Structures are given as C-alpha cells and as structure tokens.
C-alpha cells in the first residue's frame, strides 16, 4: 500500500525516547522519494491521457495518487523536522560541541543546520546587554550558593572566579560555586552530591 | 533590595518612568510569569531586559568591591544569581515559543501596523528569520528538491501548528474589569458575561483575557 514506508519511518522515530537521536534513515527516505517519483510519473501519463482522450474515469486514480504524494511529503517533513527538534535539544543539553557518537547519527545537512543554529543562538545571546548573557545556563532556580560535587571522570585543572585552580581528578570531591559547575554537571564530568 | 543597589543606580534614558530597582525586578518577574504561562508569544519587553542587564552588571561590579569573606557577599551573590535565573528563564521561554511557532510569529510581526508595538525585539526578529531560513534550506536540501516538481515547496504557515489560544490559564486580576464575555450567545444560553474583581483569581480560556494580559490588567499565575 502507498505511504507505508513513510509512516514506518515516523513510527520508528516515535518509538525512540525523547532526546535520543537514532541514525539517519537514508534508506527509508530514498524509498519514499522513489515511490513519489513513480506515483508522479504515473499521474503525468494519466493526466495527459485524460486530457487527450477525454478519459474522465482516470480522474479518481489521479486524485488518489496526488493525495498519496501529499501524504508522503507530509510524513517526510514530519520525520525530518522531529529530528531537527531533537538536534536542537542537544545544543541546549550538551552545549555547542556534540559528542562523536551523536554526530555519527546525523546527515551532512543536519550538521549544517546545527552549525547555523548555534551561530544564530550565539549572536542572539551576545546581543543582550553589553557583554551578552548565556541563556543556556541557569536552568534551575538557584537553591544554594555552593554545592558539593564529586568528580566522575578526570577533567584536569579548573579555575574558579577568585583565581584558585582546582584539580578535577576522578573521585575527588569539592565544594564549589554552583554556577561554575552547571555545565560540567550536564556534561557528566561532575556529579552533585546531596547528603 | 540590599544596600548593594542603593548606591548610584544607572537610569536608562529610554524608559518613560524612573523605576526603583525593586520595581524593575517586579516588572521582570511579572513579564516572566506571563510569558511562562501564556500559550502564545507576548509583546517583547526589551527595555526591561536591558535595564535588568545593566542592573546585574552594576551589582557584579559592586560585589567585587566587597571584602572577601564578608557574609554579605554571599547574600548579594545569591541575589544576582536569582535575578539572572529569572531573566534567562524569561528569554528562554520566548526563544522556545519563537522556535515553536516561527512562521506565525514572523507573519504577525510582518503584518503589524506602523504604530503597533512590536512582538519581537530586533535581535529576536533576526533570530526568528535565521531559524526560518535555516530550516527551509535544510528541508529543501535534504528532501524537497528530490521530490516531484509540484511538491518542492512546503507552506510553513500550514505545516507548523499555531499556538492553542483556547487553553486554560490561571490569572489574578489587577484592575477591575466589567462585562468580560466568556461565552457568546448560543441556542442554550444568553451571553455568559462576568465581572472581574480586583485581587480575584480565575481559571479561564486564554483567548478571553488575552488583551487584558497585554494591558497589564491581569497577571497570569
């Protein structure tokens, strides 16, 4: 039946948890585009014949194929756009450098989109006030000034506001200003210890 | 507000009334709550944003002058962090809605009258246009250009859903309103009209009270 592949693409994507980006379904997309090309060609033939021979009985099939073409276009657009939304969420969650395993799942055009998106976001943030404001920080309301964190993996040296340098070695615990740790916590380098 | 702000506060010339710092922060918090709970993008409050940014810079520089280890410093730091959180959350709320409804937001901005207040700040407008162009270019490059000739464009206004203005919102009344039409006349009933008393709280369809949010007569909570 027509449009099954397109619907399958969407179902597979929907099955993934929110925030997960599966590999780009290049194969599925190609199949849908091929189906669209074939439907279109059949319609071209029928339209010409309907006009030339006055065959009004061809019109219902023409309409059906056209509806399938529109549906395929809609499904493909939905699939692609949903992936963009997941990629956008990655910028807010992980920052502007994506982990390699995620990049591997993105097609070249998606990487381009991501690159333009983060540039656009950066210019917006820079335009705020005189020095800019990083709106991807301060995601949770501040509860306390300093938090206890444990280092989950080696991260090397880390400088805090008053100039002191901390060595973030695996399993070391530190009492650090909350605002400095936010990004590292999101990246999985530090872990907030709540006692 | 602490003595951190009581020394000379820079006043923005573009603001009509001179506001105290605490009035400014109240305005920020009101704008923040309204934006958070409204289903659609509200008018931009860039003067408030600019003033708050200035305020934060001022507070940060004052903080540097305070003796290290002074107990006041941590309270001031907390205050700065709180304000920055509210401001960031407000801007994030707006960006999310701009992205979610991007063709409609751009359409509204393009079709507004000369004297009408703008929905987007100039920077937000640039961001929205870039988002639109970026997304359209992407869809064309990855799929649309490989489709049959009559299907190579996508009507963004139709493809992207509009904000749902009939969603219910909680609100608190700041200025008394009379004769608010909740439900128009139908076969079963006459016009369902209510008066909104100052200080009262209600749960209503956003569409009914949308104009009151922009005038400041009600506050979404």
């Amino acid at each position: 039946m027509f449009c099954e592949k397109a619907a399958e693409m969407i179902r597979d994507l929907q099955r993934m948890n929110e925030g997960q980006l599966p590999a780009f379904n290049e194969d599925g997309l190609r199949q849908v585009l091929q189906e669209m090309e074939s439907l279109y060609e059949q319609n071209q033939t029928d339209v010409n014949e309907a006009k030339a021979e006055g065959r009004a009985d061809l019109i219902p099939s023409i309409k059906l194929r056209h509806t399938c073409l529109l549906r395929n276009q809609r499904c493909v657009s939905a699939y692609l756009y949903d992936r963009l939304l997941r990629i956008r969420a990655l910028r807010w969650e992980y920052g502007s450098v994506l982990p390699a395993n995620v990049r591997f799942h993105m097609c070249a055009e998606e990487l381009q989109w991501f690159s333009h998106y983060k540039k656009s976001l950066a210019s917006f943030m820079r335009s705020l006030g005189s020095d800019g404001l990083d709106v991807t920080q301060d995601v949770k309301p501040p509860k306390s000034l300093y938090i206890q964190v444990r280092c989950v993996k080696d991260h090397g040296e880390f400088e805090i506001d008053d100039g002191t340098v901390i060595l973030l070695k695996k399993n070391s615990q530190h009492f650090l200003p909350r605002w400095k740790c936010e990004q590292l916590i999101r990246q999985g380098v530090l872990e907030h210890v709540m006692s | 507000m602490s003595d951190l702000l009581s020394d000379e506060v820079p006043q923005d010339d573009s603001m009509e009334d001179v506001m105290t710092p605490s009035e400014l922060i109240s305005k920020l918090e009101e704008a923040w709550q309204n934006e958070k709970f409204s289903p659609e993008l509200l008018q931009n409050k860039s003067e408030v944003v600019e003033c708050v940014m200035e305020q934060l810079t001022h507070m940060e520089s004052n903080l540097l002058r305070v003796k290290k280890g002074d107990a006041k410093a941590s309270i001031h730091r907390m205050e700065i962090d709180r304000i920055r959180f509210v401001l960031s959350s407000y801007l994030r709320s707006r960006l999310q809605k701009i992205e979610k409804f991007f063709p409609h937001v751009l359409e509204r901005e393009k079709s507004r009258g000369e004297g009408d207040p703008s929905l987007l700040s100039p920077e937000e407008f640039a961001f929205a246009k870039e988002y639109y162009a970026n997304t359209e270019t992407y869809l064309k490059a990855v799929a649309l250009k490989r489709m049959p000739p009559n299907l190579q464009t996508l009507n963004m206004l139709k493809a992207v859903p509009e904000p749902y203005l009939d969603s219910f919102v909680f609100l608190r009344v700041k200025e008394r309103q009379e004769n608010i039409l909740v439900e128009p006349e139908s076969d079963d009933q006459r016009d369902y009209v209510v008066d909104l008393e100052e200080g009262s709280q209600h749960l209503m369809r956003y569409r009914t009270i949308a104009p009151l949010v922009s005038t400041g007569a009600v506050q979404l909570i």
Side-chain angles (χ1 to χ4, degrees):
Chain A
M1 198 55 245
F2 300 132
C3 306
E4 256 183 37
K5 190 70 198 172
E8 185 189 308
M9 280 173 76
I10 295 187
R11 265 201 306 273
D12 286 345
L13 185 59
Q14 206 180 29
R15 235 177 255 133
M16 293 276 142
N17 284 334
E18 204 178 294
Q20 266 194 304
L21 187 74
F24 189 79
N25 194 348
E26 183 66 59
D27 216 42
L29 179 63
R30 200 169 351 107
Q31 284 181 44
V32 175
L33 290 171
Q34 268 169 3
E35 184 182 276
M36 288 179 79
E37 195 179 327
S38 129
L39 284 168
Y40 182 72
E41 277 166 14
Q42 288 173 47
N43 257 7
Q44 288 285 78
T45 317
D46 276 7
V47 163
N48 287 336
E49 198 171 324
K51 279 199 210 148
E53 320 269 319
R55 289 195 53 194
D57 61 313
L58 289 175
I59 294 183
S61 345
I62 294 171
K63 281 194 179 155
L64 174 69
R65 288 195 206 99
H66 185 68
T67 313
C68 293
L69 282 166
L70 286 172
R71 182 158 175 76
N72 273 338
Q73 188 204 47
R74 189 176 173 182
C75 287
V76 165
S77 308
Y79 171 79
L80 295 171
Y81 193 66
D82 192 74
R83 283 182 64 93
L84 283 188
L85 293 180
R86 289 172 199 241
I87 293 170
R88 177 257 184 214
L90 291 171
R91 166 64 188 89
W92 288 83
E93 198 50 47
Y94 286 109
S96 40
V97 180
L98 294 179
N101 59 328
V102 170
R103 274 206 310 272
F104 196 59
H105 282 175
M106 290 164 65
C107 70
E109 292 86 358
E110 283 176 334
L111 287 164
Q112 270 249 330
W113 185 90
F114 182 76
S115 160
H116 285 144
Y117 177 75
K118 60 178 189 180
K119 274 201 199 105
S120 190
L121 183 61
S123 343
F124 173 77
M125 296 197 292
R126 229 184 354 255
S127 74
L128 301 164
S130 50
D131 294 317
L133 177 70
D134 187 350
V135 293
T136 66
Q137 299 291 329
D138 304 300
V139 179
K140 293 212 178 73
K143 279 228 157 72
S144 65
L145 214 47
Y146 280 71
I147 49 170
Q148 189 85 303
V149 289
R150 184 186 301 120
C151 201
V152 173
K153 36 182 146 153
D154 277 328
H155 191 74
E157 288 184 353
F158 185 57
E159 188 176 329
I160 51 175
D161 289 335
D162 59 9
T164 49
V165 175
I166 312 263
L167 181 63
L168 295 178
K169 209 168 148 62
K170 185 167 172 178
N171 287 328
S172 60
Q173 273 192 243
H174 309 277
F175 193 54
L176 295 175
R178 189 189 28 79
W179 64 94
K180 289 251 57 136
C181 305
E182 236 192 60
Q183 181 130 64
L184 290 173
I185 292 176
R186 286 221 297 272
Q187 287 173 354
V189 173
L190 294 176
E191 185 182 68
H192 187 180
V193 177
M194 288 172 271
S195 48
Chain B
M1 281 284 193
S2 53
D3 53 275
L4 196 63
L5 293 174
S6 62
D7 33 339
E8 174 201 325
V9 175
Q11 299 288 2
D12 194 295
D13 287 342
S14 65
M15 292 194 54
E16 283 165 13
D17 329 281
V18 167
M19 273 196 268
T20 68
S22 44
E23 283 171 353
L24 174 66
I25 300 306
S26 290
K27 269 213 145 49
L28 174 67
E29 287 178 359
E30 282 171 13
W32 171 58
Q33 284 195 304
N34 277 341
E35 197 69 70
K36 241 183 143 187
F37 298 123
S38 154
E40 65 173 348
L41 186 68
L42 299 173
Q43 254 172 51
N44 84 88
K45 300 273 178 210
S46 34
E47 345 77 53
V48 174
V49 171
E50 263 170 48
C51 288
V52 172
M53 287 293 299
E54 263 177 44
Q55 203 69 271
L56 282 175
T57 313
H58 188 73
M59 287 168 85
E60 295 256 11
S61 63
N62 276 354
L63 195 60
L64 290 174
R65 288 195 265 132
V66 171
K67 262 203 323 255
K68 217 189 264 197
D70 192 344
K72 281 195 293 190
S74 50
I75 302 178
H76 292 329
R77 177 88 245 168
M78 195 62 156
E79 196 63 58
I80 294 173
D81 284 351
R82 282 207 187 101
I83 296 172
R84 208 178 48 238
F85 166 74
V86 173
L87 182 62
S88 293
S89 182
Y90 170 68
L91 293 166
R92 275 195 296 266
S93 232
R94 288 183 64 85
L95 282 182
Q96 270 164 29
K97 282 191 227 171
I98 291 171
E99 291 175 4
K100 191 165 179 187
F101 305 119
F102 68 97
H104 307 288
V105 164
L106 285 168
E107 189 62 35
R108 265 178 76 187
E109 190 68 359
K110 278 189 197 136
S111 59
R112 70 179 172 95
E114 265 301 309
D116 288 345
S118 72
L119 187 63
L120 302 168
S121 71
E123 297 79 21
E124 286 172 341
F125 188 47
F127 178 81
K129 280 193 292 191
E130 286 162 16
Y131 189 83
Y132 188 112
N134 194 15
T135 306
E136 194 175 42
T137 306
Y138 164 77
L139 289 171
K140 282 205 169 99
V142 81
L144 292 176
K145 74 162 192 266
R146 294 153 74 182
M147 289 186 183
N150 62 333
L151 286 155
Q152 286 186 0
T153 46
L154 198 60
N155 182 348
M156 292 293 198
L157 283 169
K158 280 223 210 105
V160 176
E162 280 183 26
Y164 184 54
L165 300 178
D166 288 318
S167 46
F168 277 76
V169 290
F170 282 97
L171 57 109
R172 183 175 52 239
V173 181
K174 286 162 70 178
E175 292 162 20
R176 186 164 195 278
Q177 303 291 320
E178 288 180 357
N179 290 330
I180 301 298
L181 184 64
V182 173
E183 288 283 357
E185 189 176 331
S186 70
D187 292 335
D188 308 323
Q189 57 176 49
R190 297 210 302 275
D191 282 351
Y192 178 12
V193 156
V194 293
D195 289 339
L196 299 177
E197 297 298 326
E198 189 180 315
S200 62
Q201 292 177 169
H202 302 266
L203 175 63
M204 295 171 102
R205 262 201 214 103
Y206 174 77
R207 195 192 291 274
T208 315
I209 47 91
L212 301 175
V213 176
S214 34
T215 59
V218 306
Q219 169 72 48
L220 296 184
I221 51 175

